[in-house]
Amino acid sequence: MKSEPGDFSIDDLQRVGTEPWTGVRNYQARNFMRQMQVGDGVLFYHSNCEVPGVYGIAEVASTPYPDPTQFQKTSKYYDPKATHEQPRWELVDVQFSRKLRRPLPLSEIRGHADALGEEFELLRKGSRLSVMPVTGAQWKRLLSLE
DNA sequence: GCCAACGTTGGC
DNA sequence: GCCAACGTTGGC
């Protein structure tokens, strides 16, 4: 799961413990969240920053439920087309597990593209998804770099 | 349904 | 700041 550290970083998650993952407004990313289950592992990725990459590990702490910010007119995530009867956007709660011993920069992850496989979404050309799946094998390979 | 215009993401 | 890639919007 990607986050801009200026907005919400792994340190912020460590401080608050658990955070509702508000603001995802992309259907594909939403659909991936819908498939999440309590206890699923999360790689916490810092995007749009000096050194983009994986910085920590978190855990899915709730089943998916409607993102409350879609109903809040004052929120930048407000969606006028969403209703309580027919919500459009869902989220899960994300719970801090740990920071990595060292960050894994995207530049370094690229060096392991072959091992991670073609279907590794983060390295796909043009991939902009803020929520994407990682297989068990990819998870292991990434964390072995730590 | 097509597609141009526009907005956003995010690496560099 | 630049720009490629992609998603969304809205006119037709």
Side-chain angles (χ1 to χ4, degrees), chain A residues 31-146:
Chain A
N31 293 343
F32 286 134
M33 278 203 290
R34 279 182 170 166
Q35 296 170 26
M36 290 181 178
Q37 297 181 326
V38 173
D40 281 350
V42 174
L43 296 171
F44 197 108
Y45 181 93
H46 283 186
S47 66
N48 225 340
C49 57
E50 198 167 331
V51 182
V54 178
Y55 280 70
I57 295 174
E59 196 176 300
V60 174
S62 78
T63 50
Y65 63 96
D67 180 342
T69 62
Q70 70 192 302
F71 309 123
Q72 295 163 2
K73 287 206 168 105
T74 56
S75 169
K76 64 173 171 175
Y77 300 128
Y78 175 65
D79 184 343
K81 290 181 182 163
T83 65
H84 283 87
E85 294 70 34
Q86 292 241 305
R88 286 184 136 187
W89 307 109
E90 288 176 60
L91 52 67
V92 295
D93 292 341
V94 173
Q95 184 175 25
F96 178 80
S97 296
R98 68 177 178 88
K99 289 170 77 169
L100 296 193
R101 288 192 285 278
R102 67 174 185 98
L104 300 179
L106 176 62
S107 57
E108 184 178 338
I109 295 172
R110 284 195 196 285
H112 301 268
D114 287 347
L116 289 163
E118 296 241 327
E119 71 289 353
F120 186 57
E121 188 62 35
L122 182 68
L123 297 183
R124 285 203 126 136
K125 187 183 158 202
S127 171
R128 297 184 314 178
L129 284 173
S130 64
V131 178
M132 63 187 83
V134 178
T135 67
Q138 290 161 351
W139 176 283
K140 276 186 198 164
R141 284 202 189 278
L142 277 170
L143 292 188
S144 73
L145 304 175
E146 189 187 1

